[in-house]
Amino acid sequence: MAKNIQSLERAAAMLRLLAGGERRLGLSDIASSLGLAKGTAHGILRTLQAEGFVEQDAASGRYQLGAELLRLGNSYLDVHELRARALVWTDDLARSSGESVHLGVLHQRGVLIVHHVFRPDDSRQVLEVGAMQPLHSTALGKVLSAYDPVAHSEAVEVEREAFTPRTTTTLGDFEALLDMTRARGWAADVEETWEGVASVAAPIHDRRRMPVGAVAVTGAVERVCPGGELRPELVAAVRDCARAVSRDLGAGRF
């Protein structure tokens, strides 16, 4: 029988301790509770902190669970329940908008497409489930970056590539876009990632009102933005879809 890896056992015990006890614990409390030397406990905490599983309060020096652990805990919901709850609503959105619909979640510093409803016409289309989209330039990515602190950190800590002349790359301008997204409850991508393509997205929340994904309508810029302006009924339809999925996940009214 293979032996368990002691360092992983200790890390797991540490996470359980932080999850089940007080909101924040000091190094001495953690070490004594687990029967570890302070140096050993500090080394494990430092590793967990580097991976985002643990956070340290700057004022008190105490430790608590990190946002990355919360995101991983939501991963089953993201790719299973979220998709199941969104099936009917995304089908309705594609039918009413006449455009393709994508459902995305945060994954590896990008947006993972977990569900794709084809545009309801006879045109040849490619299934994009499993594809990755950038956080900083797509409507889905901007929504996740605006509402999910982990996505926000990942979007601002990397170089933002200019896919087209319209892509926002400077940090100040990007943060201003996220402020606007939070203020109005939706985000747009008008030829910022792909020439000739526009998209509108809104956030989906779970019963704890945590952001667990986003839904977007995507189509040719001349259909999504006739005359250079986003179709207001399209924005309303995307937001209604996101609210409906959120309600089905137990988020209540937004």
Side-chain angles (χ1 to χ4, degrees):
M1 183 176 176
K3 293 183 178 179
N4 292 338
I5 300 175
Q6 188 180 56
S7 59
L8 292 179
E9 288 181 330
R10 289 172 171 174
M14 200 168 286
L15 293 173
R16 292 192 189 97
L17 179 66
L18 290 170
E22 299 177 17
R23 177 173 169 78
R24 293 172 179 160
L25 293 173
L27 174 61
S28 297
D29 297 325
I30 294 170
S32 61
S33 295
L34 299 178
L36 300 175
K38 281 188 179 180
T40 301
H42 184 255
I44 296 172
L45 285 166
R46 188 171 54 201
T47 301
L48 291 172
Q49 186 178 1
E51 295 298 326
F53 297 147
V54 165
E55 296 174 356
Q56 186 177 27
D57 180 65
S60 66
R62 290 175 171 264
Y63 295 90
Q64 65 184 33
L65 294 180
E68 178 67 10
L69 191 65
L70 176 61
R71 186 178 72 81
L72 289 177
N74 282 333
S75 63
Y76 181 86
L77 169 68
D78 289 344
V79 297
H80 293 281
E81 186 178 357
L82 174 59
R83 182 178 180 276
R85 299 284 185 176
L87 288 176
V88 172
W89 299 112
T90 51
D91 282 349
D92 287 347
L93 179 58
R95 186 164 46 251
S96 65
S97 67
E99 303 293 347
S100 62
V101 175
H102 296 88
L103 193 68
V105 299
L106 177 65
H107 181 68
Q108 295 181 351
R109 297 197 169 187
V111 182
L112 174 67
I113 303 302
V114 297
H115 184 52
H116 175 199
V117 184
F118 283 165
R119 185 171 61 254
D121 59 20
D122 296 328
S123 62
R124 188 172 181 271
Q125 300 173 60
V126 177
L127 186 66
E128 296 182 29
V129 172
M132 293 291 293
Q133 295 185 1
L135 285 170
H136 70 282
S137 62
T138 61
L140 288 169
K142 291 176 195 175
V143 163
L144 292 174
S145 299
Y147 288 92
D148 185 331
V150 176
H152 177 265
S153 296
E154 293 182 350
V156 301
E157 290 174 1
V158 299
E159 184 177 351
R160 288 163 294 282
E161 181 180 352
F163 298 109
T164 77
R166 298 173 180 82
T167 308
T168 298
T169 58
T170 63
L171 181 57
D173 290 343
F174 182 64
E175 291 285 17
L177 278 177
L178 299 187
D179 287 341
M180 183 186 300
T181 298
R182 284 185 285 265
R184 64 189 184 183
W186 56 274
D189 165 12
V190 181
E191 297 188 286
E192 297 172 53
T193 311
W194 302 282
E195 295 282 359
V197 177
S199 181
V200 180
I204 296 171
H205 298 79
D206 67 5
R207 64 185 180 279
R208 293 165 293 180
R209 299 211 167 189
M210 294 293 296
V212 293
V215 62
V217 160
T218 302
V221 67
E222 61 268 20
R223 295 194 306 267
V224 177
C225 302
E229 297 292 332
L230 287 165
R231 289 164 49 196
E233 72 274 14
L234 200 58
V235 174
V238 173
R239 297 191 71 191
D240 286 345
C241 177
R243 291 191 190 103
V245 179
S246 297
R247 285 195 300 270
D248 279 1
L249 291 171
R253 295 185 62 86
F254 271 83

